[in-house]
Amino acid sequence: MTRATFPRRLLSRAPAAVALSLAGALALGTAPASAAAARPAADPLARYHHQHLHWKSCRLGPDDATGKELDQAGAQCADVTVPLDYARPDGRTITVAISRIRGTDTAHRVGALLLNSGGPGGQTLGDPPWVRAAMKDVAARYDVVGVDPRFVGRSTTLDCHWPTGSMIRGAGTGRAAFDRVVALSADLAHRCRTHAGDLLPYATTRNTARDMDVIRAALGERRISYLGYSYGTYLGQVYATMFPRRTDRVVLDGVADPARYGPRLLRGTEEANRHALRDWADWTAAHHATYGLGRTGSAVLATVEAVRSASARTPLRVGGYRVDDHVLPVVVFNGLSQDNPTAYGDFARGVRDLRSAAEGRRVTPSPWLASALEFTLTGHESAYGSAQTSILCGDVAAPRDPETYWRDLRRAGSRDALFAPVTYNINACAFWEPPRERPTTVRDDLPALLVNATGDPRTVYPMAEAVRRNWPSSRLVTLRGADQHAVYGVFGSQCVDGAVNGYLATGHLPPGDLTCSTG
């Protein structure tokens, strides 16, 4: 479910006085100066709000597995036209790709449920089939709508032609290694200015929220319901703040605290990741006969540390890849977000391959490790990393002086040699142009259903607790005892899924917060 260091269901989804959304201001117009002029101002977005959507098959060709699955589920797809720059709605346009499975219970129809599975940069177009399965009977009352946000997936593409799918790297060992990451970060930013400079100023969460409201209008809906994971929880908060009368039922799973959102969001997740690594190590030790990484959790952790130390001395050769201490911590970080035997086993096989490489043996990486290394060390998913980074950098400014990051790394690295070099490291946002808009000050009265696992290593549980404290009108459903990022419809908790489906069915939040166990 997650492939990048800022996972598709993480980032999510900011600072102090509510700014009137530009799109909202344009749509509402200004108060009439006199009774004679008392008629609505022309809507500059009218041609977008009232556009006719051409619905078609979602399948692009014989090898399009996502399109095939959507077609088989009864979905149709369309392209929604939106302005590149909402300040100039008569200017250049781009397209946002959507999919829709229509509800069948028209007598009890609630409306459209828009989805975002995180990232930023995650494709959501293909999600309606599995979300409808999670919704069970209540799905019949909704049109479930998947959206590839602007510059993502099948929407107008933003691609900086990177040699990697992620701007995230470990800092390595020593100042020279850190300086290499500084140079890489500067190069990635330069590539974006060179190849996508005309799009970068408009890659923001606020513009994605404006696109969502165009989609709402084009679908003919007065209000929309929303299900967002990870970064998608931040997007949902921004949309509900910018368009407060446009939301119906809102579910935010893997809750990002807007006060912590930005290019350095991963800071502070080290302990949750160490906890998740220990739990994985205990599971792997219990399966020593299969993976051979150690008979105790401590022994498995020692194996991971031995691999990390080896990568710092000499890059490990894994198939055609070289895995050094800039890459190894990212691989470990990306192995931790899903708490289930399949994900644990995939990660264990990857660590086993890395240990073999550290011992000097020839290694053909297992499928999970091969995919992780392809993502990090080739340009195969350049567009994903480009869009993700552009949104993060376009939303919130990052410190520009490399010395800020170096000082933070030296302090944090003394306590954590594995995760802190990733979470505190410099990235391309240090070399980005400043954002054009201030971050959104999220409203404090959003009636939403929040969902989070206590051991979530991405959107850590204290984030959900902070958001819940700030929103007295919300409710929090806690999954206790799981190192899981994204719960509803993913982890398999009947308790969590039932609470979400009950809210989607009735529109009524639980009377109080709920706690679900993993048993």
Side-chain angles (χ1 to χ4, degrees), residues 110 156 222 241 298 493:
V110 176
T156 297
R222 188 172 63 87
T241 298
S298 297
S493 168

Side-chain angles (χ1 to χ4, degrees), residues 134-188:
M135 294 171 71
K136 298 186 169 60
D137 292 344
V138 74
R141 301 177 59 193
Y142 287 86
D143 294 346
V144 182
V145 181
V147 182
D148 279 355
R150 59 169 51 203
F151 309 133
V152 171
R154 296 189 186 184
S155 299
T156 297
T157 302
L158 188 161
D159 190 347
C160 302
H161 302 286
W162 281 1
T164 179
S166 175
M167 67 173 176
I168 304 302
R169 291 291 186 276
T173 304
R175 182 63 194 234
F178 172 73
D179 288 342
R180 287 195 294 272
V181 183
V182 172
L184 170 66
S185 299
D187 178 63
L188 295 179

